[in-house]
Amino acid sequence: MPGTLKANDCLEIYESRVRLAIFVAMGIVMTAGALFMTGACIGVLFGFLGPPRSTVRELVGPVLVLLIGIVGIIMFGSAAVQGAVRWSGSRRPVLFMTRDGFRDIRISADWIPWSAILSLKNYRGKGIVVDVDPDFLRTSLRLGPVTRVMRRANGLLGNRGLWIAAFPLNISSRELLDVMTSLYRPAHGT
């Protein structure tokens, strides 16, 4: 595939309808779990599931789990809705690669040149972590809201870079890394 790209060719990668359906189903299950957890916490806090909590020490656990449940509802619910919209909409490519750079519309509408990429890593066969030059990221790349939030969360865990999820694509993460590496190397002279 990558060896056949001509100077102006663009490789377009689509999302798999089956994989998107699985993604949506997982999002619905996780949202339901977060709803159950939140409801149970409300039941505990208001005394519907046993005697009401009376001390601050007894309230800390249920309040913390309630907050985690609310975050789960928002995060998994929005992922399920976004996946359902992509699944039910017209089929279109989400990842574009040329000899000059790539664009993943799930991350940003902007093109990322290969020269701005510091490294590419396969993350446990689930996706590609793209380490982008911080100056380029700050000055030239407009990230989507979900990407900004996930980037901050990953940064707290010590993971730098942008995440390209390979699960919903019609290509495995290993094949995706091979294609990206074959286009990345000439830009860096390796």
Side-chain angles (χ1 to χ4, degrees):
M1 247 188 311
T4 62
L5 280 178
K6 304 287 189 273
N8 295 325
D9 284 349
C10 181
L11 178 64
E12 298 176 345
I13 299 175
Y14 291 80
E15 289 179 309
S16 164
R17 294 282 191 188
V18 172
R19 290 181 177 183
L20 272 177
I22 293 168
F23 179 78
V24 170
M26 289 185 328
I28 290 170
V29 168
M30 296 299 286
T31 303
L35 279 168
F36 177 76
M37 186 168 68
T38 303
C41 289
I42 290 171
V44 167
L45 289 171
F46 288 113
F48 301 131
L49 299 174
R53 307 297 180 196
S54 57
T55 65
V56 173
R57 183 174 276 232
E58 292 175 330
L59 290 173
V60 171
V63 169
L64 185 61
V65 173
L66 175 70
L67 294 174
I68 292 170
I70 291 170
V71 168
I73 291 169
I74 293 168
M75 186 175 70
F76 296 124
S78 64
V81 167
Q82 184 183 36
V85 167
R86 291 196 326 243
W87 178 74
S88 64
S90 63
R91 192 164 187 262
R92 62 186 177 138
V94 294
L95 182 60
F96 306 86
M97 287 186 274
T98 67
R99 293 193 183 280
D100 298 324
F102 77 95
R103 178 173 70 138
D104 187 336
I105 63 172
R106 302 169 300 170
I107 295 173
S108 173
D110 299 327
W111 281 88
I112 302 172
W114 296 116
S115 58
I117 304 299
L118 302 176
S119 67
L120 299 167
K121 291 179 232 122
N122 187 353
Y123 185 76
R124 299 181 185 174
K126 296 181 179 15
I128 308 299
V129 178
V130 180
D131 192 10
V132 181
D133 179 27
D135 292 331
F136 176 80
L137 192 63
R138 188 175 43 258
T139 60
S140 303
L141 194 59
R142 295 168 295 167
L143 299 175
V146 173
T147 304
R148 281 194 305 264
V149 169
M150 293 309 295
R151 183 168 157 68
R152 284 191 188 110
N154 285 334
L156 292 174
L157 298 173
N159 297 324
R160 285 184 35 171
L162 299 174
W163 171 267
I164 299 177
F167 175 75
L169 300 177
N170 278 338
I171 187 171
S172 73
S173 69
R174 183 79 228 152
E175 292 170 326
L176 180 61
L177 181 63
D178 290 344
V179 171
M180 292 180 87
T181 301
S182 70
L183 295 169
Y184 163 83
R185 283 189 176 146
H188 291 275
T190 59

